[in-house]
Amino acid sequence: MSETALITRIAARGDGVTDDGRHVAGAVPGDRVRPDGIVIPGPNRADPACRHFGKCGGCQLQHVAEGALADYVRDRVIGGLAGQEVAADEVLPALLSPPYSRRRAVLTALRTGKQVAIGFNAAQSNQIVDMRMCPLLLPELFALVGPVRELLALIAPQRRPVKVRMQMLDQGVELVLEGVKAEGLDAAMALQDFAGANRLARFVIDQGDGPETLWQPDPPTVRFGGIAVEVPVFAFLQPTAVGQETLIEAVRSAIGEAAAVADLFAGVGTFALSVQAGRKVYAAEGARDAIAALTGAANRARAQVAGEHRDLFRRPLVPKELDRFGAVILDPPRAGAEEQVKELAASNVPAVAYVSCNPASFARDAKILVAGGYRLDWVRPVGQFRWSTHVELAGRFSK
């Protein structure tokens, strides 16, 4: 019998990889591959939790057992750092968000005749996989899929995609429909009836002229550190509550007892409001509605948080401004924060807590910080997007 090749790791896009660098779709570490390409299953396989797996693009790794999945998340972070020749003193175990915990999702719907398909797109395709189950979403979100399908059969245009955005807030689910047509008093009343019957926290439609709030019985809020923030429409939140708490704890650990902290790319206050007790926080954010929500919440709570609307890509804080702080929190978009990191590398800030949703851009920015005299003390990998190739992390730098 010809010798088989051992799958030793999972690549960034989810393929299994052999020792000699061959990529094998659907293979898992511990599997063996025959010369004819047949995969011999190993000990790190799991039965997929969803009947749509293999077609739906929402998950790529449901066939991977829990331990191997956690190793994949951790290895993505280690690999990104190695590619930039950056060493972390410690890489902590990965946290995986549990099934049925995703609290925000963007689905696509398409009406064809009287039928409406709604769900995630198929992998590398515009085809919609009509969602009939989902072990990712919070049950409250999935419970809306059926009613939304029925509603869109009435108001969705034919053969034109509709974006369906759902997010869990303190008061219930926020639902945003983009690309629908609801004209006239009867349609408006029907939509309000739908919102009331499904106990929505907020119902927004966009018919092409921008978002229009149709239903909002109370100001929709999310709490950070016990402070309620009246969030803008579909404001960015961490995708799971467990993942959010893990990242907040990592940030707390990274900044220690610093009396003055800067939170850069602060959003609606996930970190600024969670760590503000007993210290002063400066929060900068480029999205005007997000920083307004953060600042309003801090003022109502009389928290020592000062917010500034500031584009940190065009106008990053310079060393003279940064040196006022005992610690800095960074939580930039996927592209990273290269311009701000260059200024930070030239500063004397003792500690940096960097939260990232992209191991590659994190590693690039880490290289800049290390070249500027910082040490990467530890990183904490986080798999909030369970069963996907999307990896997040938090790290601590010290100088």
Side-chain angles (χ1 to χ4, degrees):
M1 180 175 175
S2 300
E3 187 175 351
T4 58
L6 178 67
I7 299 293
T8 58
R9 65 183 180 89
I10 302 174
R13 294 187 177 181
D15 291 343
V17 184
T18 63
D19 266 337
D20 59 4
R22 186 161 31 125
H23 286 235
V24 181
V28 172
D31 289 352
R32 288 192 170 274
V33 184
R34 297 189 337 198
D36 61 2
I38 298 297
V39 175
I40 303 171
N44 292 316
R45 287 189 159 268
D47 293 329
C50 181
R51 76 189 201 192
H52 300 305
F53 178 68
K55 187 177 182 183
C56 176
C59 296
Q60 298 83 45
L61 301 172
Q62 283 192 17
H63 62 300
V64 182
E66 192 82 355
L69 187 61
D71 288 344
Y72 166 77
V73 171
R74 189 171 184 268
D75 290 347
R76 282 285 309 281
V77 175
I78 294 171
L81 292 171
Q84 294 289 344
E85 300 181 330
V86 174
D89 289 353
E90 184 179 13
V91 181
L92 299 169
L95 178 282
L96 300 180
S97 291
Y100 303 104
S101 65
R102 181 89 68 83
R103 65 179 179 183
R104 60 184 275 127
V106 180
L107 308 177
T108 305
L110 188 69
R111 180 184 175 194
T112 306
K114 296 182 179 180
Q115 302 299 314
V116 174
I118 177 173
F120 294 111
N121 285 351
Q124 300 179 342
S125 168
N126 290 326
Q127 181 184 359
I128 299 166
V129 178
D130 195 23
M131 182 182 285
R132 300 295 170 169
M133 66 178 297
C134 184
L136 287 178
L137 300 184
L138 280 174
E140 294 92 336
L141 294 189
F142 181 72
L144 264 181
V145 172
V148 169
R149 186 185 284 111
E150 294 176 3
L151 177 65
L152 291 179
L154 302 176
I155 66 171
Q158 288 286 347
R159 299 184 181 278
R160 295 184 62 182
V162 172
K163 285 296 179 187
V164 180
R165 304 181 188 273
M166 300 188 294
Q167 181 159 255
M168 178 59 70
L169 306 178
D170 291 340
Q171 293 76 18
V173 179
E174 173 186 39
L175 176 64
V176 183
L177 302 179
E178 298 178 5
V180 297
K181 288 294 181 182
E183 300 173 342
L185 181 60
D186 288 345
M189 293 298 293
L191 292 174
Q192 291 201 0
D193 289 344
F194 173 88
N198 289 281
R199 300 181 180 181
L200 298 181
R202 175 161 55 200
F203 187 21
V204 177
I205 66 169
D206 187 341
Q207 303 184 73
D209 300 318
E212 176 188 358
T213 300
L214 300 181
W215 176 269
Q216 183 177 295
D218 299 297
T221 60
V222 175
R223 291 181 177 272
F224 305 114
I227 297 175
V229 182
E230 296 182 12
V231 291
V233 172
F234 209 68
F236 174 79
L237 302 176
Q238 294 295 333
T240 70
V242 171
Q244 174 179 289
E245 191 54 38
T246 299
L247 293 174
I248 289 171
E249 287 304 314
V251 166
R252 283 200 184 105
S253 176
I255 65 176
E257 300 299 321
V261 174
D263 183 7
L264 308 183
F265 306 96
V268 294
T270 302
F271 300 111
L273 298 177
S274 295
V275 305
Q276 53 76 34
R279 65 177 110 226
K280 295 181 179 179
V281 178
Y282 161 80
E285 167 58 44
R288 192 179 297 275
D289 57 353
I291 196 65
L294 188 164
T295 303
N299 290 342
R300 288 189 295 273
R302 298 184 179 179
Q304 295 190 78
V305 178
E308 181 183 10
H309 175 237
R310 182 165 179 163
D311 185 340
L312 295 168
F313 296 106
R314 295 173 180 265
R315 194 163 64 93
L317 270 69
V318 298
K320 184 178 179 180
E321 296 172 292
L322 292 165
D323 287 345
R324 298 178 296 167
F325 302 105
V328 166
I329 303 167
L330 285 177
D331 182 19
R334 285 188 61 80
E338 186 173 3
E339 295 306 316
Q340 182 60 77
V341 165
K342 288 176 180 176
E343 301 294 340
L344 194 52
S347 78
N348 295 312
V349 175
V352 177
Y354 193 140
V355 177
S356 173
C357 60
N358 184 349
S361 61
F362 172 81
R364 182 208 64 205
D365 289 350
K367 185 174 184 177
I368 296 171
L369 290 172
V370 169
Y374 280 92
R375 181 188 189 101
L376 179 52
D377 298 317
W378 50 259
V379 290
R380 169 72 146 157
V382 179
Q384 287 204 78
F385 290 87
R386 186 180 183 85
W387 295 314
S388 88
T389 56
H390 186 85
V391 172
E392 298 176 306
L393 68 141
R396 182 184 194 271
F397 297 86
S398 62
K399 179 183 275 191

